[in-house]
Amino acid sequence: MSDLHGMYDRFIAMLEKIDFSDSDELFIIGDIIDRGERPVDILEYVMDKPNITVLLGNHEVMARDFLRRLTAEITDGNTASFDNDFLIELAIYKHNGGIPTINRLIALPPDKQQRVLDFIDSLYAYEAIDIGDSTFVLVHAGLGNFRKDKKISEYSLYELLELRPDYERQYFDDDSVYIVSGHTPTKLISGKWEIYHSHNNIVIDCGAAFGGRLACLRLEDMAEFYV
């Protein structure tokens, strides 16, 4: 799944629909938080599940510094750091859907706030997994500024989490390698709220927070599920 954006009820409904169990492994490729009303509830749910792997999205990266500073104890030292640049960046974050995340997080006790922030800090930007004869590169946005000689570890967070790739380009010569991404609502690509497949690119953000659907893709057989 990807781009849950605080849609906790849809997330739980999807887990029920796919009959998610301890024998399954779920990857969520970024943007759990912001926009919807229950982003922190999703974070608290996935944090305790060893068979759920969460990857960074651009919204998690936007939130990290802001949330630590906003939940810190107010002292002369840290209030002085709330300079004009910080306030402008905070306004941008709030404009991009950050208000529900801020409100939910600051309502938690300090120890739970710290645990949530530590979890966000622990997230990786990409994962590559092998299933059968296929390899799936899981990344929030794609491989921006792609070069064939460029290792994935050499990509910046901006290139992995924000730059939108060319979905009509096959990035790897090997036909068994696929890129699975979110970030771009599929209706902007195909005009439909459904998982998009093209040139070994698979896009699974079906606009759950924008009037679309939450999607889940089962990699073993490409079965698609929607809520």
Side-chain angles (χ1 to χ4, degrees):
M1 303 183 209
S2 79
D3 296 85
L4 301 177
H5 281 306
M7 310 296 284
Y8 177 84
D9 292 341
R10 288 198 191 190
F11 173 57
I12 296 301
M14 179 64 82
L15 295 181
E16 293 172 354
K17 185 166 191 173
I18 64 176
D19 195 22
F20 186 68
S21 72
D22 291 343
S23 63
D24 297 313
E25 186 169 10
L26 173 63
F27 293 86
I28 303 175
I29 55 177
D31 283 8
I32 279 181
I33 62 172
D34 300 340
R35 304 197 190 284
E37 289 303 312
R38 301 181 66 183
V40 176
D41 291 339
I42 302 177
L43 284 173
E44 290 190 300
Y45 184 97
V46 300
M47 282 164 48
D48 293 322
K49 297 292 186 293
N51 59 332
I52 297 180
T53 298
V54 178
L55 300 179
L56 278 172
N58 60 303
H59 279 259
E60 282 78 31
V61 171
M62 276 194 295
R64 285 189 303 191
D65 182 48
F66 296 134
L67 296 179
R68 283 211 180 274
R69 294 168 75 176
L70 289 171
T71 56
E73 180 182 357
I74 300 300
T75 67
D76 290 341
N78 65 33
T79 54
S81 71
F82 289 7
D83 57 20
N84 192 55
D85 289 342
F86 173 79
L87 294 175
I88 290 172
E89 291 174 11
L90 179 57
I92 293 171
Y93 173 55
K94 291 169 71 174
H95 177 73
N96 280 283
I99 292 175
T101 306
I102 293 170
N103 290 342
R104 291 279 180 165
L105 189 69
I106 63 177
L108 294 177
D111 60 328
K112 289 190 175 182
Q113 291 178 6
Q114 185 65 45
R115 190 163 176 262
V116 168
L117 294 171
D118 288 345
F119 176 73
I120 294 175
D121 282 343
S122 74
L123 303 181
Y124 290 96
Y126 63 89
E127 183 98 17
I129 58 173
D130 296 320
I131 297 179
D133 295 328
S134 299
T135 296
F136 297 92
V137 179
L138 312 180
V139 61
H140 181 62
L143 303 180
N145 295 324
F146 177 81
R147 294 195 322 268
K148 289 189 176 181
D149 62 343
K150 190 174 181 178
K151 298 177 182 178
I152 295 182
S153 60
E154 295 173 344
Y155 285 81
S156 68
L157 286 180
Y158 177 72
E159 291 171 326
L160 296 173
L161 309 184
E162 294 202 48
L163 283 184
R164 289 179 168 85
D166 179 359
Y167 301 111
E168 302 310 308
R169 173 184 180 184
Q170 183 164 327
Y171 282 83
F172 296 98
D173 295 331
D174 188 341
D175 289 337
S176 67
V177 180
Y178 298 82
I179 300 174
V180 184
S181 64
H183 189 54
T184 303
T186 55
K187 194 169 186 177
L188 299 179
I189 307 171
S190 66
K192 301 177 182 178
W193 290 127
E194 61 185 40
I195 294 172
Y196 182 76
H197 300 257
S198 179
H199 295 79
N200 284 36
N201 295 297
I202 305 172
V203 189
I204 65 171
D205 175 8
C206 292
F210 296 101
R213 301 188 286 177
L214 178 63
C216 181
L217 178 66
R218 189 169 62 202
L219 294 177
E220 286 86 354
D221 59 3
M222 294 292 110
E224 301 177 6
F225 303 87
Y226 298 94
V227 171

